[in-house]
Amino acid sequence: MSIFIWAVAFIDLIAVIFIIFGWNGLSPLARRFAVGITIIAFPILGSTPISLHTLDTMKDTSFCLKCHTMEEHGKSLNSDDDEILAAVHYANNYIPKKTACYSCHTDYDMFGGLKAKIAGLRHMYSYYLITPPKPDELKIHSPYNIQNCLSCHDGARNFMTKKNHTKEPGLLEKIQSGEKGCLESGCHNVAHGVKQAMQDALEAAEEKAASDEPTTKEGDEK
Amino acid sequence: MNRPYPPKNIKIILFLQLVGVFLLASAHYAHTPILIFTIFSLGSGMVVISVLYWLYLMSREFRTIINEIQNVFTKSDQR
């Protein structure tokens, strides 16, 4: 891919040099032709694949986790806690690991990808131009679209026959219509568990510091 | 008014699209979102400006052709 793009760029360079230095020797028709080809063909040949390639890399989990604010969310993917939705989906390969964030946080409709890119621009604006929120203060900007869950789970045997989904008459239909959300229902309400994880980490660090303290003192006495 | 085509400043536009293509080609080597965004926006902006300018030149060409056709009809009417 990149060899092709660089080849196009260098041919473009040669064409531009040829036009600029051979400008006076070209007939008006040849000038029209050369300018038209150089301005239209090379940018299309070069920029279309690279644009698609760059847009594709923006779907990567590693791309989303480049901002420090997202570090804790990234850690939650590898958590052992079965309560955490992100961890369950990531660990069991329910979503592609390479595009984990994109799979769940992009709407599965016609403009889902475009809306995700616009949301990404908003994230970038708040990260670089205003003070970004702390990881445990992050909130999803609009209610989570339940259709993103249903696009995979709806119709699956373990979803349709799960006891909790069928314990009340009409509950499954309510979930399927979006009337009852998965996250708000109290059943799957731990998406990333960042707040809890940070609190646990803080407590663990405090405990470690407390347990290390007497050992150092003992060492000093010796 | 008979303006030369393509105008001399087309060289600036050619150079602009060249820089745009090179910027786009190097966009995916950037490692931070802000760099990718900046390089990508600059590159595509340059390419789009050059294409729009070329389209403007083309429209001017078409206008000239249409005027010439109109002149032919007007002259034939006068005869």
Side-chain angles (χ1 to χ4, degrees):
Chain A
M1 171 73 86
S2 61
I3 290 172
F4 170 75
I5 292 152
W6 283 112
V8 170
F10 278 103
I11 295 169
D12 189 10
L13 174 71
I14 292 163
V16 170
I17 290 170
F18 174 74
I19 292 170
I20 289 173
F21 286 100
W23 183 260
N24 294 329
L26 293 172
S27 68
L29 188 69
R31 283 179 184 179
R32 283 173 170 82
F33 185 72
V35 166
I37 289 286
T38 313
I39 288 184
I40 296 297
F42 290 117
I44 290 173
L45 273 174
S47 62
T48 310
I50 197 68
S51 307
L52 294 174
H53 182 65
T54 310
L55 289 174
D56 212 42
T57 56
M58 288 176 188
K59 293 177 184 173
D60 288 3
T61 310
S62 58
F63 180 83
C64 301
L65 301 180
K66 270 175 184 159
C67 295
H68 298 301
T69 319
M70 300 311 295
E71 268 174 14
E72 293 301 322
H73 287 77
K75 282 179 195 167
S76 77
L77 295 175
N78 294 311
S79 171
D80 295 330
D81 192 345
D82 284 345
E83 285 279 298
I84 297 171
L85 275 182
V88 171
H89 282 77
Y90 190 78
N92 295 309
N93 282 352
Y94 292 159
I95 45 170
K97 283 192 171 158
K98 195 175 182 289
T99 55
C101 312
Y102 188 83
S103 303
C104 292
H105 289 280
T106 305
D107 292 352
Y108 286 80
D109 57 24
M110 193 176 165
F111 299 108
L114 184 69
K115 281 190 268 182
K117 295 283 176 293
I118 294 168
L121 287 176
R122 267 203 305 265
H123 294 169
M124 214 160 67
Y125 166 75
S126 57
Y127 187 77
Y128 288 106
L129 298 176
I130 56 174
T131 317
K134 287 173 188 164
D136 55 337
E137 289 169 359
L138 278 181
K139 279 179 189 164
I140 198 158
H141 71 279
S142 56
Y144 190 81
N145 188 357
I146 198 71
Q147 292 305 323
N148 293 352
C149 307
L150 293 174
S151 63
C152 294
H153 291 286
D154 194 14
R157 189 192 287 170
N158 63 355
F159 173 79
M160 303 297 279
T161 57
K162 202 171 180 81
K163 248 184 210 172
N164 288 342
H165 294 168
T166 52
K167 65 183 177 189
E168 289 170 30
L171 178 62
L172 191 63
E173 286 73 24
K174 275 185 186 171
I175 298 170
Q176 284 172 320
S177 66
E179 202 180 313
K180 191 164 181 66
C182 309
L183 294 157
E184 68 195 38
S185 62
C187 303
H188 307 286
N189 53 353
V190 187
H192 286 276
V194 168
K195 205 175 259 185
Q196 189 60 45
M198 285 180 79
Q199 208 173 329
D200 291 347
L202 191 72
E203 279 169 16
E206 278 171 4
E207 267 176 37
K208 195 175 180 289
S211 63
D212 283 352
E213 221 166 272
T215 326
T216 326
K217 275 178 187 171
E218 261 175 43
D220 287 346
E221 279 165 16
K222 277 175 190 173
Chain B
M1 195 172 72
N2 197 12
R3 283 174 290 196
Y5 180 88
K8 291 279 180 185
N9 62 4
I10 196 76
K11 289 175 187 174
I12 298 166
I13 297 299
L14 280 172
F15 186 69
L16 198 71
Q17 70 82 24
L18 180 69
V19 175
V21 168
F22 269 85
L23 277 176
L24 283 173
S26 58
H28 77 286
Y29 293 107
H31 286 289
T32 54
I34 188 80
L35 260 181
I36 294 177
F37 175 73
T38 311
I39 295 172
F40 196 74
S41 318
L42 274 174
S44 44
M46 286 175 177
V47 166
V48 166
I49 286 170
S50 60
V51 170
L52 285 177
Y53 188 74
W54 182 78
L55 286 174
Y56 160 72
L57 288 179
M58 289 299 291
S59 73
R60 215 173 65 176
E61 280 277 279
F62 278 122
R63 268 210 307 272
T64 316
I65 293 166
I66 289 164
N67 282 344
E68 277 171 14
I69 293 168
Q70 279 175 341
N71 286 343
V72 169
F73 280 111
T74 319
K75 277 175 191 171
S76 64
D77 284 350
Q78 280 170 353
R79 276 176 205 166

